[in-house]
Amino acid sequence: MASSEPSVPLADLVAAMPFAASLGVELHEAGAERVTGSLPWSPRACTVGGVLHGGALMALADSVGAVCAFFNLPPGAGTSTVESKTNFLRPVTGGRVHATARPLHAGGTLVVVQTELRDDADRLVGHTTQTQIVRGGRRSGEAADTA
């Protein structure tokens, strides 16, 4: 994990992701071990029958997961999603979706993040696992080809 967490205001992290900001993604806490955020249900983000679109759920998970990856990067590095898989478990028809992202692996070339999506009743509505590539920067003493 990253040895020291960057001091970045949560609003600035969201602003750095214009698509997430336009959807209404909010961050509530952010650090190397856990990032939380949420997305309000909105009729403009729905599919048939007032169900929150899976793409909106994936965007929430990807955004919160990317922030988690960011907090686990070596100095000077950036990150980009290279793989993301989401299981949708139940529809969201109102309220907010709450995301909690945690790192599964933080290596020199890959960061793997797991994000749970829950509704206001704390029911699991989705689960995302994403892989982020580390771009630039290396942890001290780390070889360039380690995952």
Side-chain angles (χ1 to χ4, degrees), residues 95-117:
R96 294 185 81 80
V97 179
H98 307 274
T100 302
R102 291 184 171 85
L104 293 177
H105 172 77
T109 56
L110 298 174
V111 178
V112 180
V113 177
Q114 182 172 310
T115 303
E116 285 190 351
L117 302 170

Side-chain angles (χ1 to χ4, degrees), residues 122-133:
D122 200 34
R123 296 175 298 189
L124 190 63
V125 299
H127 184 271
T128 300
T129 302
Q130 68 180 234
T131 304
Q132 300 264 343
I133 192 163

Side-chain angles (χ1 to χ4, degrees), residues 21-106:
S22 72
L23 282 176
V25 171
E26 296 177 13
L27 291 178
H28 305 295
E29 71 175 276
E33 294 298 320
R34 176 179 139 129
V35 176
T36 64
S38 64
L39 175 70
W41 178 93
S42 166
R44 70 179 180 87
C46 286
T47 186
V48 176
V51 174
L52 197 60
H53 193 284
L57 293 170
M58 291 181 78
L60 171 62
D62 185 65
S63 300
V64 174
V67 172
C68 185
F70 167 75
F71 277 94
N72 282 280
L73 292 174
T79 183
S80 182
T81 304
V82 295
E83 188 272 340
S84 184
K85 183 216 185 292
T86 300
N87 290 101
F88 301 107
L89 305 172
R90 72 176 59 241
V92 176
T93 58
R96 294 185 81 80
V97 179
H98 307 274
T100 302
R102 291 184 171 85
L104 293 177
H105 172 77

